[in-house]
Amino acid sequence: MSINRREVVKTLGIAAASAGFTGIGSATQNSSVQVNSVYGSEESPLSEGDIIDTQQQAKANSEASSSVTVKPDDSYGRIVGFVYGIDESGRATFYVAKEPEEEAVEQQDQSESAVSKAKEFESELKKANRLFTETNAVSPSGIDPEWDHVTNGYTPYPRRPYGKLVESVDVYELDEDTSTNRFAMRQNANIYPGQAEWDNGYHWWYAEPEHKWDQGVLDYNLVDRAPRDDKTGGVDKKSVAISAGGPEISWQFSQPDVARYDESNSQVAKWHWNAMTDPLSYGDNQHALFKTGSTAETRDNPSDGDTLLGWGTMAKFTSRDRVDADVDEFGAGGRLEYDD
């Protein structure tokens, strides 16, 4: 199904809650955005070099330069499109278009293809000539002004017949004159089972978002994370926040009637949501949204090419009859590197 301009514009800030661009966003005061893109195909997917070159070209043509370079993960699915925008303040936004690799996976209609969706996103970003605010889970009122918004990104990944994963991320840097460097990540993991998307009997089984502050040579320590601890059962609009010793990023957190396991350690924030507590008690054929966040700090001074963090979201889908059922697991993610 094609989408209209109003639906796209609402999500140009990576505020989408689904691959159909149904989110809420608002324009920033910046009115000049440099937008670059690169596209491949099923037979010729994009390389990491293609994606880096696209960002470098946009930065070279912009009045400001972003301090990070995005490197999307292609472990699951081909990357066939990449859209990148940077505004006058140096804040960047990116969009990753992915298509499945396995021939057995049902292909989408051309009007719903990953490349066509990315081109619509690019077109509307150019028309607006503005970047947009954070994910709809993070309102400006929930962010202390000390946090500078570095970048946000959006990766929808549909895999028929199993389901669809839509990941959005926001990365912030704390603007304080201290001996430590502090960063934060907000991540939305949207899970759409095949039953809800295509009425075909496939359901989501589990979801695993992860913030990998242990990537690269920098010695990051996890300062805070949300949500915290294990929790079985539904949670409705609980206020949560991540802090860096004062300044906070807050949002409303909910979870359906499933089991959550907090698997974080001193350098990695990781959660596992499992829909298998009682498959008959929860309609896991429905959309599920998991909102996570973490902050980390290091005393190291980063240099060009150092990894800031990696992130990812894994999801598993299967049929309701899980005995000898067809099961599929796939994910999205990437890493950020400093760019001096």
Side-chain angles (χ1 to χ4, degrees):
M1 179 179 65
S2 182
I3 57 179
N4 61 42
R5 185 177 188 277
R6 181 172 178 271
E7 289 173 326
V8 179
V9 168
K10 288 197 300 183
T11 66
L12 286 177
I14 317 307
S18 76
F21 299 108
T22 55
I24 299 175
S26 59
T28 69
Q29 296 303 309
N30 298 296
S31 60
S32 179
V33 176
Q34 177 65 39
V35 182
N36 281 53
S37 63
V38 60
Y39 295 101
S41 65
E42 181 179 349
E43 297 77 18
S44 182
L46 300 181
S47 67
E48 185 176 276
D50 295 328
I51 293 170
I52 293 175
D53 288 347
T54 300
Q55 295 174 74
Q56 295 301 327
Q57 291 168 12
K59 293 175 184 181
N61 295 329
S62 174
E63 296 182 10
S65 180
S66 171
S67 60
V68 295
T69 295
V70 182
K71 295 187 174 181
D73 183 8
D74 62 356
S75 298
Y76 293 87
R78 308 174 184 88
I79 297 178
V80 294
F82 183 78
V83 181
Y84 183 84
I86 181 171
D87 68 14
E88 293 171 326
S89 70
R91 185 167 72 88
T93 188
F94 64 92
Y95 180 106
V96 182
K98 299 184 71 174
E99 288 187 348
E101 293 182 353
E102 294 81 357
E103 293 182 359
V105 175
E106 297 175 11
Q107 297 301 309
Q108 296 185 92
D109 181 84
Q110 184 60 34
S111 65
E112 296 181 343
S113 72
V115 168
S116 68
K117 295 293 186 183
K119 287 182 176 179
E120 290 182 23
F121 183 93
E122 177 189 8
S123 174
E124 295 302 330
L125 187 59
K126 288 179 176 178
K127 288 178 184 177
N129 196 31
R130 295 170 182 241
L131 296 188
F132 286 63
T133 58
E134 303 80 3
T135 62
N136 57 343
V138 185
S139 66
S141 61
I143 304 172
D144 284 343
E146 292 90 344
W147 287 107
D148 291 334
H149 198 188
V150 177
T151 189
N152 55 1
Y154 177 54
T155 306
Y157 188 17
R159 285 174 59 97
R160 290 186 174 184
Y162 306 102
K164 178 170 60 179
L165 165 66
V166 182
E167 180 188 69
S168 61
V169 296
D170 294 89
V171 178
Y172 304 86
E173 182 176 9
L174 191 60
D175 185 14
E176 285 188 333
D177 186 15
T178 66
S179 60
T180 58
N181 297 298
R182 297 187 178 186
F183 291 85
M185 164 166 274
R186 278 282 294 112
Q187 178 188 43
N188 282 0
N190 289 271
I191 310 298
Y192 297 83
Q195 174 64 24
E197 291 295 292
W198 306 296
D199 193 25
N200 60 14
Y202 282 91
H203 304 259
W204 74 272
W205 191 341
Y206 70 70
E208 286 186 348
E210 186 174 16
H211 307 175
K212 307 172 186 178
W213 297 101
D214 60 345
Q215 302 291 292
V217 299
L218 299 178
D219 187 21
Y220 278 93
N221 292 310
L222 190 66
V223 176
D224 200 6
R225 67 186 184 277
R228 278 183 170 269
D229 305 320
D230 299 346
K231 169 65 178 178
T232 298
V235 176
D236 184 31
K237 296 182 179 178
K238 178 183 178 181
S239 179
V240 297
I242 48 177
S243 172
E248 289 187 343
I249 298 173
S250 63
W251 66 95
Q252 293 291 315
F253 171 81
S254 300
Q255 79 174 41
D257 187 15
V258 297
R260 180 184 78 230
Y261 303 96
D262 184 353
E263 301 175 349
S264 304
N265 59 41
S266 62
Q267 289 187 302
V268 175
K270 183 178 180 180
W271 303 263
H272 178 106
W273 275 271
N274 193 338
M276 286 292 290
T277 51
D278 181 353
L280 298 180
S281 68
Y282 171 65
D284 58 355
N285 61 328
Q286 302 172 11
H287 164 235
L289 168 60
F290 302 110
K291 307 172 185 178
T292 62
S294 68
T295 59
E297 67 178 12
T298 179
R299 292 185 178 274
D300 296 332
N301 292 316
S303 57
D304 189 39
D306 285 344
T307 298
L308 167 60
L309 81 157
W311 75 90
T313 303
M314 292 293 300
K316 180 178 283 190
F317 300 83
T318 185
S319 66
R320 171 65 75 180
D321 180 11
R322 294 186 171 96
V323 179
D324 298 323
D326 187 15
V327 177
D328 193 54
E329 178 183 272
F330 56 93
R335 70 183 189 275
L336 290 183
E337 292 185 357
Y338 285 101
D339 182 4
D340 291 339

